[in-house]
Amino acid sequence: MERPVIRLTHCQKQIFCFSVPDECPSCGDQLTGSRLQEAPVSLPSPLTNAHKTSCCLLITPADHTHRDFGGTSDLHTGISNTAGVVYNYTSVGVCRSQAGWEQSVCVPLVRPDMFHLLAQWDQYLHRFSEGPLWDPAWHRFDEDNHNCFSFCLQFVNSVLAAEGRSAMSRETFTQSFILPRMRRVHKYTTLYQHVHRHQYYMEDGQEEDGQET
């Protein structure tokens, strides 16, 4: 998804495309200057370069050669430190990746005003990753019960405990933080693929009273 999707409005239609077409695909009018009801808007991609983030949960396809967020491939998760190094648990133990996570779903875990936690984040993450629970000599990686998501969730709960807060269950964390972002990625990916195949996607816009049709 290297090209940005843009949205423009004409004849009460919202049109999604990679570049403004010469003619409106709905009515055939020329799309120049004042013919557009509003300026085209570039839709932000839901994917982020994880190595430019800090203190985030990251989600990326496990197969880096086939970046599919559509539900047909396994996903891999990790936690970034304050320098954008992604700590992620695999069958060989904890990896500290400085590349390979350039197209990821990003879930911020620390507010910018939490200075005390930001100052200790790297120490927390390093100490946690060095624990015997993530050493293959002590515990074997298991795709269902002891995996990359287990590493991330247990780290988050260890930080919550250090801050005197209650732990989150896998279900709560998934429902509150993971699924909303994955739904957005799925919608954006579906839209992008449609525009790539058909040059544009069109849907009803807004009526004059401002209510969505």
Side-chain angles (χ1 to χ4, degrees):
M1 298 189 292
E2 297 178 353
R3 304 174 64 185
V5 176
I6 63 173
R7 182 188 65 213
L8 54 95
T9 303
H10 190 263
C11 62
Q12 296 187 355
K13 299 288 185 181
Q14 290 194 79
I15 303 164
F16 301 85
C17 47
F18 293 137
S19 60
V20 179
D22 294 331
E23 298 180 350
C24 174
S26 176
C27 67
D29 281 357
Q30 293 290 320
L31 296 181
T32 56
S34 59
R35 293 283 186 176
L36 288 176
Q37 295 167 339
E38 59 184 40
V41 176
S42 179
L43 302 184
S45 171
L47 302 181
T48 300
N49 184 344
H51 305 294
K52 295 183 179 180
T53 70
S54 61
C55 310
C56 293
L57 170 74
L58 291 316
I59 308 166
T60 194
D63 182 359
H64 291 288
T65 63
H66 182 62
R67 299 189 178 279
D68 178 22
F69 284 93
T72 59
S73 64
D74 292 334
L75 298 177
H76 190 42
T77 59
I79 303 284
S80 62
N81 68 5
T82 58
V85 177
V86 181
Y87 285 61
N88 55 106
Y89 177 59
T90 70
S91 58
V92 297
V94 177
C95 300
R96 296 162 179 80
S97 304
Q98 300 186 48
W101 294 71
E102 289 77 12
Q103 294 287 315
S104 304
V105 178
C106 174
V107 183
L109 298 174
V110 183
R111 297 196 314 268
D113 61 346
M114 300 181 71
F115 303 111
H116 70 288
L117 183 52
L118 289 170
Q120 299 180 78
W121 187 264
D122 288 354
Q123 182 180 355
Y124 281 155
L125 186 54
H126 176 75
R127 184 187 306 154
F128 180 81
S129 67
E130 292 290 319
L133 195 60
W134 317 111
D135 186 341
W138 292 88
H139 292 273
R140 180 176 297 179
F141 181 93
D142 182 83
E143 291 186 358
D144 297 320
N145 300 310
H146 192 66
N147 52 30
C148 58
F149 190 73
S150 305
F151 172 83
C152 294
L153 179 60
Q154 290 192 41
F155 171 71
V156 169
N157 281 332
S158 73
V159 174
L160 290 174
E163 296 291 304
R165 300 170 60 185
S166 301
M168 282 190 292
S169 67
R170 177 183 291 262
E171 292 73 19
T172 298
F173 190 72
T174 301
Q175 291 289 337
S176 300
F177 294 95
I178 307 298
L179 290 184
R181 287 167 173 80
M182 296 308 299
R183 291 190 189 103
R184 180 169 175 254
V185 172
H186 178 69
K187 289 181 180 179
Y188 186 91
T189 302
T190 302
L191 173 64
Y192 189 98
Q193 292 172 345
H194 184 96
V195 173
H196 181 73
R197 289 193 300 267
H198 304 287
Q199 297 186 332
Y200 68 88
Y201 173 76
M202 185 167 53
E203 66 182 14
D204 289 339
Q206 295 181 339
E207 297 182 346
E208 293 182 358
D209 62 359
Q211 297 297 318
E212 291 188 0
T213 59

